[in-house]
Amino acid sequence: MCDFYNNECVALTAQKIVSSRVNHERSRYVGIGGTGCSGVSNVLSSLTWAYNMPIVSWASGAPDMTLRNNFPNFFRTVTPHTAFTYAWIKVYLLCGWKDIVMILAEEARFRGHFELHKDQVRAAGLNVVFEAQILQPLQQTDGVMETIKQRRYRIMQVLAFENTWRAMMCSAWSKGMRGLVWLVYGVYSPAFYRTTDNPVLDQWSCGPNELREMANTAIFSQTVMWSQHEQTPLSCDKFGQMTSQKFQDDFEQSVGDELESAKISELGGHSAKLDYAPASADGACLYAQALSAILGLHPLGHRAPSGRIYNLSELTERTDRAYEDMNQLFQVASFDGVGGSPVSFDCQLPADGTPCDSNCRNQRAGNCTGDKSGPAWVYQFWKDGTEGDYDYDSPTSEYQGIAVYDRSMEEAATT
C-alpha cells in the first residue's frame, strides 16, 4: 500500500512529511518513491539513510546527485543529465575536436557535472584548454569571452542555465566572434532566443535575431524518456501483454480523458508532462521487483543477494540488514520497463560476483551510481528553420540532425 503526499517541490515540506510519517507510524513505511524535483531529492537522500529507507526518484535529473558519497544509496529511474557528457564527448571525437572550453555556472547545480565532464574529457585524450565560472552574467561574461576571443578557441561546452548561455552568445556577437560551436543542455526552452530579459541583453544590443544567428548549429543533448524497444513486454505485467508502446497509447488516452477535458481546463488544469510517465512507472516496477524478491514472492524466484527471505513484520522494522538487502536488490536490478529494455543502473559491479555492498555503492570514485543507464538524444539548432517548429521529423524544424547515443550498449559491447 502506498500513501501519497504533495510536497509542491519544496524540500522543507518533503522533509517534514517524511519525518512526521516515520515518527508517528514507524512500522508503516519501508521506502520512499516518487520524489520528482532535484532540490527535494537532494535533501531527502541526504537523510533517509538514517531511517534505513530506500529512496527512488522518477524525475530528478540534477547531475550532482550522481555523486553517491554525498547522496548515499540514491536511485533514479530517469537518465540524469550526466549522460549528456558521454554523448558530447562522442561528438568531439567524431568531429576531431581536441581543445575544449568549459564554462561553469552555479556551484550547487553544476559543479559535480563540471568536474565529471572535465575528467571524462581528459580520459578521452582531449584537452580542457580554458575553464571559467560565470555567476553574474551581466558583469562577468565579457571578460571571459574576450579571453576566448584572444586565444581563438571555438568549442564551447556550457554547463549552465540558458540565461548564462544567452549572455555568452550576445557578448560574442558584440565582439564580432563568429564560428563558435556550442554544446548545451537539451532541457533549455526550445524558444530560448525569445527571452531577452533574463538576463537583460540591452548592453550588447542583442535580441532574438542575433541569438538565432549565434546559436546556429548549436549541439543539444537530451534524455530519451521512452524505451526504444517499443514492443518488448514489460517485466511488471504478469500477463506479458503490456508493452512500452501500448503503455504510452493507454496513458495518453487516459490523460486526454481525465486531465485535459473541458471541465478540468476550467478548473485550471494543464497538459500533463507525458515524458515523465516512463520513469514513474519504472520506479514503481523497481520497488515491485525488489519487494517481491525480498519477501520470497518473485515469480521468477529472484532473491536478495544474501539469500534471506523476510516476512512483512521484519521488513517494516527497517533493520540494517533489510535496508542493505533492499539497496543491493535495487543496484543489480535489470528489467524490461516503459523507459528502457532493460532498466538498469550505471554501476561497475564486483568482477568476482560478490554483492555490491555499501562500500561498493557509495565510494567517492563514482564507479557505482544509482543513475539509470540509458541513451541521450543529440540534435542541432538550425537558424533557417521555421520559428516555432520543434518537430524533429519536420524538414523545416528549428531542431535538426537527431541521433541517439547509448553508452550502456557501447560498454556492454566491450566487456
Side-chain angles (χ1 to χ4, degrees):
M1 184 175 70
C2 299
D3 289 343
F4 298 92
Y5 298 92
N6 182 6
N7 59 58
E8 298 182 341
C9 225
V10 177
L12 180 59
T13 301
Q15 183 179 351
K16 288 180 177 178
I17 291 170
V18 171
S19 298
S20 172
R21 294 297 83 210
V22 171
N23 289 332
H24 285 86
E25 297 183 272
R26 175 172 174 77
S27 297
R28 183 180 178 89
Y29 302 100
V30 298
I32 299 172
T35 49
C37 300
S38 294
V40 172
S41 292
N42 184 306
V43 171
L44 288 185
S45 62
S46 66
L47 60 89
T48 50
W49 60 268
Y51 297 123
N52 279 357
M53 294 185 73
I55 180 169
V56 178
S57 172
W58 53 268
S60 298
D64 279 22
M65 300 195 71
T66 292
L67 305 178
R68 275 270 190 78
N69 55 301
N70 294 331
F71 305 101
N73 300 321
F74 175 67
F75 291 89
R76 46 185 166 186
T77 49
V78 62
T79 305
H81 300 166
T82 42
F84 306 163
T85 277
Y86 305 100
W88 285 323
I89 290 175
K90 182 61 69 172
V91 173
Y92 302 161
L93 295 171
L94 289 172
C95 294
W97 298 331
K98 297 181 179 179
D99 296 331
I100 314 300
V101 170
M102 288 187 60
I103 304 298
L104 166 69
E106 291 78 3
E107 284 284 329
R109 183 63 173 80
F110 299 106
R111 173 60 72 179
H113 194 184
F114 183 84
E115 296 300 333
L116 168 73
H117 193 86
K118 188 163 55 174
D119 289 346
Q120 293 301 314
V121 167
R122 291 168 175 164
L126 308 175
N127 308 309
V128 177
V129 293
F130 178 71
E131 59 183 86
Q133 184 174 31
I134 299 176
L135 297 175
Q136 298 177 301
L138 295 178
Q139 289 76 35
Q140 296 176 299
T141 304
D142 279 338
V144 172
M145 296 309 298
E146 183 62 31
T147 298
I148 293 169
K149 178 181 179 180
Q150 294 302 319
R151 298 183 185 180
R152 302 177 67 82
Y153 298 141
R154 291 185 58 242
I155 312 304
M156 312 288 293
Q157 183 66 65
V158 181
L159 300 176
F161 291 119
E162 65 182 80
N163 62 330
T164 302
W165 182 42
R166 278 193 292 269
M168 293 178 68
M169 288 191 289
C170 285
S171 177
W173 171 267
S174 71
K175 295 177 181 297
M177 301 169 68
R178 301 294 184 269
L180 297 175
V181 178
W182 307 95
L183 296 102
V184 296
Y185 289 111
V187 294
Y188 293 170
S189 166
F192 62 87
Y193 50 81
R194 293 180 186 166
T195 301
T196 59
D197 59 354
N198 182 24
V200 177
L201 304 175
D202 295 349
Q203 69 189 58
W204 296 295
S205 300
C206 180
N209 291 336
E210 289 75 23
L211 287 169
R212 288 174 64 86
E213 182 69 32
M214 290 302 295
N216 192 39
T217 71
I219 297 168
F220 293 76
S221 187
Q222 177 62 295
T223 302
V224 178
M225 294 294 196
W226 295 88
S227 175
Q228 301 300 288
H229 303 279
E230 298 174 340
Q231 301 307 320
T232 300
L234 304 183
S235 295
C236 277
D237 175 27
K238 67 178 181 179
F239 301 109
Q241 298 176 353
M242 181 64 71
T243 65
S244 179
Q245 184 62 61
K246 188 174 189 309
F247 181 96
Q248 182 174 7
D249 293 342
D250 291 353
F251 180 74
E252 290 180 353
Q253 180 65 49
S254 296
V255 167
D257 292 343
E258 299 175 21
L259 299 181
E260 296 181 347
S261 65
K263 182 178 180 180
I264 295 297
S265 297
E266 290 174 2
L267 296 173
H270 57 81
S271 298
K273 295 181 178 180
L274 300 179
D275 282 345
Y276 285 120
S280 183
D282 291 342
C285 185
L286 175 66
Y287 261 113
Q289 295 280 331
L291 288 171
S292 61
I294 208 168
L295 291 169
L297 301 174
H298 196 285
L300 299 180
H302 295 172
R303 296 287 187 271
S306 69
R308 181 179 174 85
I309 295 176
Y310 297 78
N311 60 42
L312 189 58
S313 295
E314 293 173 323
L315 191 60
T316 56
E317 288 176 3
R318 300 202 307 276
T319 63
D320 290 346
R321 178 184 290 182
Y323 178 60
E324 178 60 25
D325 275 343
M326 279 289 289
N327 281 307
Q328 289 187 19
L329 281 165
F330 282 172
Q331 195 65 71
V332 300
S334 180
F335 59 89
D336 294 318
V338 181
S341 295
V343 173
S344 60
F345 297 103
D346 186 8
C347 176
Q348 185 176 327
L349 297 171
D352 61 3
T354 57
C356 189
D357 62 14
S358 181
N359 290 331
C360 163
R361 293 192 304 274
N362 300 315
Q363 58 186 296
R364 181 176 291 275
N367 295 329
C368 185
T369 77
D371 295 344
K372 177 195 165 191
S373 298
W377 298 112
V378 179
Y379 51 94
Q380 291 184 284
F381 179 76
W382 183 36
K383 69 174 183 179
D384 295 325
T386 300
E387 187 170 337
D389 184 353
Y390 312 136
D391 184 352
Y392 301 123
D393 296 325
S394 168
T396 61
S397 175
E398 294 180 282
Y399 292 94
Q400 295 281 326
I402 200 163
V404 176
Y405 173 64
D406 191 339
R407 179 174 174 244
S408 64
M409 293 181 64
E410 189 170 64
E411 288 182 321
T414 57
T415 57

